Amino acid sequence: MDVFKPVYTEQNDCQDCYKCIRECQLKAIKVTNNAAQILHEDCIYCGNCTLVCPVNAKKVRNDLTRVKSLLKRNQNVIVSLAPSYMSEFPSLKDEQIVAAIKELGFANVSETALGAELVSQKVSEFLDEKQSGIYISSACPSVVEMICKHFPQYKDNITPFLSPLLTHCKMLKQEYGEDCKIVFIGPCIAKKSESDAFGDLLEASLSFKDLAEWFDEEGLEADLFYESDTEPSFVPRRAGKGSLYPIDGGMIAGIKENASTTDAVFMTFSGISSIYDVLKDLTYYRKPGLIFLELLACEGGCVNGPGTRKSYSRALKRLEVINRSENDVQKPVLNFSIDRDFDSIDVAIKPEHPENKIKEALNMIGKYSDKDEINCGGCGYHSCREFAKAYLDDKSEPNMCASYMRKIAHDKSTALLGKIPSGVLIVNEELKVVEANQSFARIMGEEMEQLFDTIPGLKDADLKKIAPFYKLFSSILTTGEDSLERDFRLGNKMLHLSLFTIQRNKIVGAILRDMSQPFIQQEEVINRAKAVNQKNLETVQKIAYLLGENASETEDMLNSIVEFYTLAEEKN
């Protein structure tokens, strides 16, 4: 089921706004019955849709219950804490955050950055052995998913190593026993997909938001905790350069420190859109030499991940990480394998559609020529053709096209207006005609019918020039009244005009009826008789009320007089 995936949609909350499609660079979303669903075979779990959804219909799987259950069953559960904790809890000392986490029931807390240092060391050795080629970091699980699913031609360019988190898990299991369980806490949603794929290494993944909620639930205030300086905070030791990994360029800093002799060109890019632009044209690079790309799915790095609570300046977050990173620490020793391949991640299927099928899909939403393809983006796709392809992929629905639905609504209203025997007229605040039906032109006379044939719907016609009753429209536009009824004579016709406000002081509608028509006369006589009868009934009710009220007052007055005289006689 969808709810067991790292990201899912709460179907009942989805308001078919298509903002998630618009913001998803990879269009890993399908609309069914006006509700957006995650396409997990395409999704890279960057979590961006959970941030942009205006009604919070996009949800992140909550693993908190699972972790609490794990703590009840196992005494040796260790937290792998992402280095971006420095920017998430900037006011807390390391000892305080560690003590608060251990209070929740965890045996120890270790820095994920230790795994990052081991990865940097391994990548440095790997690049030193290469003479040329383009290589991409495996540190970001969202980027790895993106390449394997959407740019499989670059799968072999990914450095063939475990991510820093999975490397850290291996290190902890070697240090504290294979039976220890590891829970990640950090800003990344894609780490949940790593826990799903590598359950033997990583038990579960929580976000910083989850941690903060857990603290609140338990009534823990981390700033009140403080462990002795003699007791180490993180186990087995503090991290060094690896703590720079959550900012863009942080991995490169670690690799360069470990590199012996390499003339590689190092570049870093963050944000899915930027990475997409890098990858789509990477095949054109033909020059010799060594290039290493550090790619991070979140703009500015992991410090801006979807699992964070703090939304302050990226520059300040970056400074927090840089200022609190350590240099003079024990260098890690990599004495176990972190090699991996990426064959377990399947390529996203992208069917090719012939041009005639695309044309058919475009025609279905009223796009018959290039000028009809307005590419407004209202459906969430960049162009009408992209939307048509999505429809052929069973990802979109025709009613997602705003211009198509507007045209259908207009055609329906036009057909309806054409069938109404009464005249219909809609006017804006400038007394310009917005819409009129043919019955209105017919009632107004032959000259108006000729004008209607020339200007269908009399659109933008000046009401002052075509109708003697324009002052009634002007009056209701000014006053903002809900409705107004008037009879007037036009030539030898007696007409009845019912005006009503559509948008107060902006748009007014009217129904015009020819009272000389036999069926109108009969209907009007009945309606007016009913109105007179109702008015008489209301008058009788008012008179009865007044008489009753007057009788009550008279009775009260007479009673008071009787009481007065009775008391006077008793005194005498």
Side-chain angles (χ1 to χ4, degrees), residues 287-345:
K287 294 182 179 179
L290 196 61
I291 294 177
F292 179 79
L293 300 176
E294 176 195 357
L295 305 180
L296 299 172
C298 299
E299 290 189 15
C302 308
V303 289
N304 297 305
T308 60
R309 299 172 303 138
K310 304 290 184 180
S311 58
Y312 60 88
S313 163
R314 293 176 186 174
L316 293 180
K317 288 185 176 184
R318 189 180 179 90
L319 283 171
E320 287 287 350
V321 172
I322 293 172
N323 291 338
R324 292 176 65 174
S325 65
E326 298 282 345
N327 290 320
D328 300 327
V329 294
Q330 178 184 344
K331 293 222 171 179
V333 178
L334 183 60
N335 53 11
F336 54 88
S337 173
I338 62 170
D339 294 347
R340 71 161 290 191
D341 60 46
F342 305 97
D343 295 335
S344 60
I345 304 175

Side-chain angles (χ1 to χ4, degrees), residues 74-85:
N74 198 304
Q75 299 299 311
N76 192 19
V77 184
I78 303 172
V79 166
S80 175
L81 186 64
S84 47
Y85 79 89

Side-chain angles (χ1 to χ4, degrees), residues 24 57 89 94 101 147 181 272-273 282 313 343-344 346-347 383 394-395 418 440 493 532-533:
C24 181
F89 302 98
D94 293 343
I101 291 174
I147 292 172
K181 303 296 181 182
I272 298 298
S273 295
L282 203 55
S313 163
D343 295 335
S344 60
D346 294 329
V347 179
S383 68
D394 194 30
K395 291 182 178 181
F440 172 79
K493 296 178 181 178
V532 170
N533 187 46

Side-chain angles (χ1 to χ4, degrees), residues 50-117:
T50 66
L51 299 177
V52 301
C53 180
V55 293
N56 296 319
K58 292 291 178 293
K59 306 286 188 184
V60 176
R61 186 183 70 206
N62 191 335
D63 292 334
L64 200 52
T65 302
R66 181 181 173 187
V67 172
K68 289 178 180 178
S69 177
L70 176 66
L71 289 173
K72 290 178 181 177
R73 301 191 316 267
N74 198 304
Q75 299 299 311
N76 192 19
V77 184
I78 303 172
V79 166
S80 175
L81 186 64
S84 47
Y85 79 89
M86 301 171 184
S87 61
E88 184 71 8
F89 302 98
S91 62
L92 297 181
K93 292 182 173 62
D94 293 343
E95 293 82 358
Q96 291 174 313
I97 188 69
V98 169
I101 291 174
K102 289 172 75 173
E103 187 71 17
L104 296 173
F106 293 98
N108 281 301
V109 181
S110 185
E111 291 186 272
T112 317
L114 291 174
E117 291 172 359

Side-chain angles (χ1 to χ4, degrees), residues 139-305:
C140 177
S142 282
V143 171
V144 169
E145 294 262 352
M146 181 177 178
I147 292 172
C148 292
K149 289 181 176 181
H150 300 277
F151 295 91
Q153 65 270 33
Y154 302 127
K155 187 169 73 171
D156 293 337
N157 296 81
I158 305 173
T159 51
F161 308 118
L162 292 171
S163 68
L165 171 59
L166 296 177
T167 301
H168 187 226
C169 291
K170 262 200 163 186
M171 185 200 85
L172 290 175
K173 283 184 174 288
Q174 187 184 63
E175 189 92 18
Y176 300 99
E178 287 294 324
D179 62 334
C180 78
K181 303 296 181 182
I182 300 158
V183 172
F184 172 77
I185 300 178
C188 182
I189 302 304
K191 296 292 194 295
K192 292 180 183 290
S193 66
E194 282 196 307
S195 70
D196 293 344
F198 296 88
D200 57 324
L201 293 175
L202 179 62
E203 194 71 26
S205 173
L206 300 179
S207 69
F208 284 137
K209 291 177 184 177
D210 293 331
L211 180 61
E213 288 174 11
W214 199 355
F215 282 162
D216 291 339
E217 184 183 314
E218 297 294 331
L220 293 177
E221 296 184 37
D223 57 347
L224 299 181
F225 286 87
Y226 198 86
E227 290 190 350
S228 168
D229 290 335
T230 59
E231 182 181 347
S233 55
F234 293 110
V235 296
R237 58 187 172 275
R238 275 299 312 268
K241 285 283 188 181
S243 60
L244 295 175
Y245 260 59
I247 59 176
D248 43 6
M251 182 181 186
I252 289 174
I255 294 173
K256 284 184 174 180
E257 185 179 68
N258 286 284
S260 54
T261 56
T262 178
D263 295 323
V265 174
F266 294 92
M267 291 188 284
T268 179
F269 299 92
S270 63
I272 298 298
S273 295
S274 297
I275 294 170
Y276 190 92
D277 286 340
V278 168
L279 296 177
K280 69 181 176 67
D281 295 327
L282 203 55
T283 51
Y284 296 118
Y285 187 82
R286 294 286 185 270
K287 294 182 179 179
L290 196 61
I291 294 177
F292 179 79
L293 300 176
E294 176 195 357
L295 305 180
L296 299 172
C298 299
E299 290 189 15
C302 308
V303 289
N304 297 305

Side-chain angles (χ1 to χ4, degrees), residues 381-404:
Y381 292 92
H382 298 302
S383 68
C384 296
R385 288 181 66 82
E386 189 178 341
F387 172 80
K389 291 177 182 178
Y391 173 77
L392 294 172
D393 292 338
D394 194 30
K395 291 182 178 181
S396 63
E397 298 177 327
N399 59 8
M400 292 169 62
C401 178
S403 61
Y404 171 65

